[in-house]
Structure formats: structure tokens, C-alpha cells
Amino acid sequence: MNAIVLAERLEAAPLASSRPILSIQDLNVRFGGVVAIEKLTLTVWRGEFVSLLGPSGCGKSTLLKAIARLVEPTGGRITRPYADLRVGFMFQKPLLLPWRTTLDNVLLPVEIQRGGNTADAAERHSALRMLDLVRLSGFADSYPHQLSGGMQQRAALARALMCDPDVLLLDEPFGALDEMTREVLNEEMIRIWQSKQTRLSTVLMVTHSIPEAVTMSDRVVVLSARPARMIEDVPVACAHPRAPEDAETGAIIRRIRAMVRSAR
Amino acid sequence: MTSRAVAPLAFGLVALAAWQAIVTILHVPEYLLPAPTAIVATVDRALVVSFAVTFIEALAGFLIASLLAFAIATLFVHFRTLEDGLFPIAIAIKTTPIVAIAPLLVIWLGTGWWSKIVAAILICFFPVLVNTVKGLKAADLEYRELFETLGASRAQEFRKLRIPYCLPYLFSALKISSSLAVIGAIVGEFVGATQGLGYLIIISSAHLETATLFSAIIAAAFAGIAMFYAIGFTERRLIFWSSGETE
């Protein structure tokens, strides 16, 4: 199973023949009189890492919430061609429950899905594996207030992975962290997306940082200020690991920056 | 902890010694101000029984009121119309002084245990209700969205998010109402009783047995303090994640 997913991912560039994992057509979202998203069309292919780049308050988080079915669209359609598609969501804040240990926080999705109260040995084992994957092995029994901001966000990532999602929706996942921690966690995110240990194939990430979007994604979807409309869909074909200082990556960053400035 | 207790203890002992000295030197009559030693001399089996009676009445009222308030708060959070309809009634009960209601309770329930327990319930109920409703609604929208993305049912969200989130709010209300419960029980005893600290206070003041009156007052204070600290102790054990800034 994992091998097949990886093979699909290695094809990298979206092929016309492969099936979309998410398809958004003419999406409209309004809250009262405020139009958050207007006529947005976007297709996400299996295996892609896509960034939604836009200024603060442009409606990109609303788009992610609409995909996660937290927000009801007022027009258009969001289709998920795979019936059994599992979607994980990661918020800007870690949102760990302070009365639970790290391990119990990671187990929360399983408890909710199964409807029980305590996890069995197999579930605990897979939660420990997730903690291992996000490099939090020694902190299973720590409480959130004993962890640093970066570690809390790692735990939140482990919890999101615990649902065994095909698609991970990231809402500025490391936006509240300091620059250095953020860079490290961005690299970790890429490593986990590329690793064969989960069935995660596709990532859709909201960000307002141009370098972050370009160094991480296969495609950067540049959105306008509210209401969010697509300005351009920029493919990034450079190999990982990337740095903003790389010639090719740097050129794309500069291109997008110019694009965002002229759109203002 | 122990070193912090030394200073208040020392001041207390000095104050008691001064009190004893002034009463002895100035020959203050005992019905006006009894000496600490005279007060200690009145501690007998009757006082202990009175204390136990009042404490049990207050504790029973406190426990019943807390459970009832929590149950009703749960209903309020689930059914908005119930909250809109019943909250004004709860406020009406709260704003009526317990001293004004107590005689009615004695007419209805007699001079036994229940008139005091109900007085304690009436005085404890409101703070617990208000804080529990507030606490059950306090979980941030983001946490509720998290539970929604995980596909949690309303019952799961309530049990795994709202109730633990509410605990700091609940406990700050319990601390308030634990000392109120003793007031409720004593007010009930003032109006009509055959035992308890309230009864002892009324009788000893009528007979100008001021030393007994003092020991009854101190016992009443001790009942409230004991309840308050028991709740505080439980709170610190149970809610280890909160620094107790919620009110």
C-alpha cells in the first residue's frame, strides 16, 4: 500500500491522466455581507504538496476550512473523488488538551473514532510510532505545559497523522513559532510527507510566507487579497532539500514577490 | 509552606496573649469579653455535637446544590431555550436574601435537618450554576473546530472537551459556595432548631454566656475554613494544568 502511494508520489508532476484528490469548482464563501472567497477553482492531485499563498485575512484559511467541511460554501462545489479519502487538519495553534499527556493527546482521534475511552495496546503502539516520527519519543508522558512551542506543534502533527490521513490540511502550522524553530519544522514536514511510514500522500498548506511556500511545495497557488481569487498557479520543480538562497528557488521567490506586488 | 505558616502563627499567639493580659489586668466582665482561657474552657461535648450537626447540614446542602447546579448547567448548555426561560428564576432566587426565606423553610420543612439543608442548597446553588454554565461554554472555538475535524459527536465533545475545560471554573465556584453553605445552615438554625451551632449561638447570647457564644462563633468559622481548604486541596490535585487564574 505504502509502496504504491510512494510510487505515485515519485511521478511528482501532476499528470493529466492521474485522478485529482480534491477538486474545487467556482467556490464562493460569504459570511453575511463579507465575501471571503470568490469563484475559486483549484485541483489538487494525489502526491502533491500545494501551498496556498496570500496576504493575512485574504480568505485562505476559510478555503482550508471549507475543504475540511468546517465552513459551508455559499456557491460552487468541492468534490473528493476518492470516497474513502481521509483528511487530517492541523491548526496554527497546537490545541493540545492540557489535562492529557502527549501520548493521550495523540490518541484522541482514535478514541473519538472508536467511541471508547481507553486505547488498546496496538493503538498505543501506533501513537508511540507517530511520536517517534515527529521526534518526540521521550515525551510521551509529558504534559503540554512541559513542552516548548515547537514540541507542542510536533505533538499536534503526530495527532493529525494518527487519523492516518491521505491529505493533510495545514493552516499556517508553524506560523506562531520563531523563525529558527519554524525552519526546522518545515524540513521535518517535508521529511514526513516523503517518508513511507504513513499513508499521507498530499499536503495542502496555507501560508503568507513566500520563501516558505516556494521551498516546501510542488505548486504555489498565489491568492489575491479578500475576496480570495487565484492570481497564478506557480509550479516549483526544484529538488528537495531547497533553500531560498538556491539560484532556481530564489528566482521563483523573486518572481512570486513581483507578482504579489503588482497585484496590490 | 511550613516556614510561611510561622509568621501568622507567631502573630496570632502574641495577639491571644495580649487579649488574655488585657482582660485579666482590667478585670473585664466575662459577659462582655471572655478571656481566651475562659473560651477554651467552654469546649465540651455539646459544642462538638453542635459543630458536627451544622457541618453535616452544610456539607449535605453543598453537595446536593453542586450536583443539582451542574446537572442544570449541563441542560442549559444543551438547550438554549431552557437557559433563557429558567435563568431569570435562578437570579430571582439568588437575589432574595436567605434570611427572608428561612422562616418559610421552617414552616414547610419543620425544625429538623431539612430546613437547614435546603437553606444551604439555596445559597450554594447560584454561584455553581453561573460558573459551570460559563465554564462549559469557555472552550475556544478553535478547540471545538478541532473536535469537529476529528468527527466527534456532541456527547464526545462534551465529555472530552467541555467538562475538563469547565473544571477550573467549577472549582472556583465550589470554593465560594462551600463557605456560603455554613452561612445557610446557621441561618436555618437561627429561625427554628433544637441543635447545631446556630441554635447554640442564639441560646448562649440570650443567656449572656458570652464565652460559649465565642466558642460557637469560632467553631462556625472553622467549619467554613475546613470546607474551603478541602475544596482547594482537591482542586490542586485535580486541576494540575491550570494556575487558577479563572474566576
Side-chain angles (χ1 to χ4, degrees):
Chain A
M1 176 66 208
N2 281 332
I4 298 167
V5 172
L6 185 74
E8 278 181 36
R9 187 186 297 151
L10 289 175
E11 288 170 28
L15 300 169
S17 58
S18 86
R19 282 174 79 188
I21 205 163
L22 270 174
S23 159
I24 300 163
Q25 283 143 13
D26 295 327
L27 184 73
N28 275 296
V29 177
R30 55 172 68 221
F31 302 107
V34 181
V35 185
I37 300 169
E38 196 172 48
K39 270 192 127 12
L40 194 126
T41 296
L42 174 70
T43 307
V44 180
W45 307 87
R46 169 158 257 172
E48 275 191 302
F49 194 123
V50 179
S51 279
L52 302 169
L53 178 75
S56 309
C58 80
K60 53 196 192 300
S61 290
T62 307
L63 174 58
L64 213 59
K65 284 179 179 176
I67 295 169
R69 295 175 179 157
L70 288 172
V71 167
E72 196 67 36
T74 34
R77 281 197 313 163
I78 299 172
T79 41
R80 300 172 172 185
Y82 294 91
D84 61 342
L85 186 79
R86 274 186 280 202
V87 178
F89 200 105
M90 200 174 151
F91 297 83
Q92 186 172 5
K93 290 188 197 159
L95 299 178
L96 300 172
L97 302 176
W99 49 87
R100 282 175 175 248
T101 62
T102 308
L103 183 66
D104 287 340
N105 265 294
V106 174
L107 282 165
L108 182 71
V110 212
E111 272 177 41
I112 286 174
Q113 271 160 28
R114 198 166 33 82
N117 260 331
T118 46
D120 62 33
E123 287 162 348
R124 294 178 75 82
H125 180 77
S126 77
L128 285 168
R129 237 193 59 220
M130 288 308 157
L131 283 177
D132 203 36
L133 188 64
V134 300
R135 301 191 207 270
L136 270 186
S137 312
F139 298 90
D141 297 323
S142 303
Y143 285 92
H145 67 265
Q146 297 168 319
L147 303 179
S148 69
M151 287 156 88
Q152 289 185 15
Q153 206 51 294
R154 282 171 191 265
L157 177 59
R159 179 181 59 198
L161 292 171
M162 201 57 195
C163 317
D164 206 11
D166 306 276
V167 182
L168 202 50
L169 305 175
L170 307 175
D171 188 1
E172 293 185 40
F174 311 123
L177 301 175
D178 63 87
E179 194 64 35
M180 283 157 87
T181 313
R182 185 172 171 167
E183 263 179 33
V184 172
L185 283 176
N186 283 344
E187 282 164 24
E188 295 271 310
M189 192 64 238
I190 294 291
R191 175 181 64 80
I192 288 163
W193 167 61
Q194 288 177 331
S195 98
K196 290 180 254 182
Q197 292 184 52
T198 65
R199 68 186 253 165
L200 174 69
S201 65
T202 312
V203 177
L204 196 54
M205 180 178 81
V206 158
T207 179
H208 52 66
S209 158
I210 300 172
E212 185 174 88
V214 175
T215 50
M216 291 180 79
S217 348
D218 297 325
R219 253 165 80 204
V220 180
V221 175
V222 185
L223 299 171
S224 66
R226 202 174 62 205
R229 264 169 304 196
M230 195 193 291
I231 297 179
E232 202 164 324
D233 191 341
V234 185
V236 186
C238 332
H240 286 286
R242 303 173 192 154
E245 297 79 24
D246 298 346
E248 210 178 339
T249 311
I252 299 170
I253 291 173
R254 283 191 294 277
R255 213 185 106 207
I256 293 178
R257 193 165 281 148
M259 201 183 293
V260 171
R261 283 207 180 132
S262 64
R264 226 183 273 156
Chain B
M1 185 67 205
T2 37
S3 61
R4 269 174 56 202
V6 170
L9 214 65
F11 276 107
L13 284 173
V14 169
L16 278 177
W19 179 355
Q20 182 81 33
I22 290 165
V23 169
T24 316
I25 294 163
L26 299 180
H27 299 286
V28 181
E30 197 180 300
Y31 73 88
L32 264 186
L33 183 66
T37 46
I39 294 169
V40 171
T42 64
V43 176
D44 56 1
R45 199 174 167 277
L47 181 75
V48 174
V49 170
S50 298
F51 174 82
V53 166
T54 303
F55 192 78
I56 290 167
E57 289 164 352
L59 188 66
F62 168 76
L63 291 175
I64 295 170
S66 302
L67 289 174
L68 207 64
F70 191 84
I72 290 174
T74 304
L75 288 175
F76 277 10
V77 172
H78 280 94
F79 306 102
R80 189 64 207 267
T81 35
L82 213 60
E83 183 180 358
D84 294 342
L86 290 180
F87 217 79
I89 299 174
I91 292 170
I93 293 171
K94 154 75 187 160
T95 44
T96 313
I98 192 68
V99 192
I101 307 176
L104 186 63
L105 294 178
V106 173
I107 292 173
W108 282 349
L109 302 166
T111 53
W113 294 85
W114 277 106
S115 52
K116 287 81 195 170
I117 293 174
V118 172
I121 291 173
L122 286 177
I123 205 168
C124 288
F125 178 76
F126 195 78
V128 181
L129 177 73
V130 171
N131 258 28
T132 309
V133 168
K134 194 173 152 194
L136 288 175
K137 288 179 177 174
D140 292 336
L141 174 69
E142 289 156 316
Y143 274 103
R144 283 183 275 134
E145 281 183 342
L146 167 73
F147 273 70
E148 209 180 323
T149 60
L150 296 177
S153 68
R154 223 174 151 195
Q156 284 176 324
E157 189 211 63
F158 196 76
R159 215 174 52 239
K160 291 180 193 291
L161 176 66
R162 287 185 189 255
I163 288 183
Y165 218 97
C166 173
L167 287 180
Y169 293 84
L170 175 67
F171 268 88
S172 64
L174 292 182
K175 278 199 275 193
I176 296 166
S177 67
S178 63
S179 33
L180 291 177
V182 179
I183 298 176
I186 288 177
V187 167
E189 286 166 355
F190 276 177
V191 178
T194 53
Q195 53 181 354
L197 289 176
Y199 173 76
L200 192 64
I201 288 167
I202 293 285
I203 297 299
S204 55
S205 73
H207 295 176
L208 279 186
E209 288 164 358
T210 314
T212 311
L213 182 57
F214 261 95
S215 61
I217 291 169
I218 293 164
F222 185 72
I225 292 167
M227 296 261 281
F228 184 88
Y229 276 100
I231 302 292
F233 182 79
T234 317
E235 182 186 28
R236 281 193 300 278
R237 290 287 169 289
L238 199 64
I239 311 170
F240 54 88
W241 67 87
S242 169
S243 47
E245 75 282 5
T246 40
E247 187 48 57

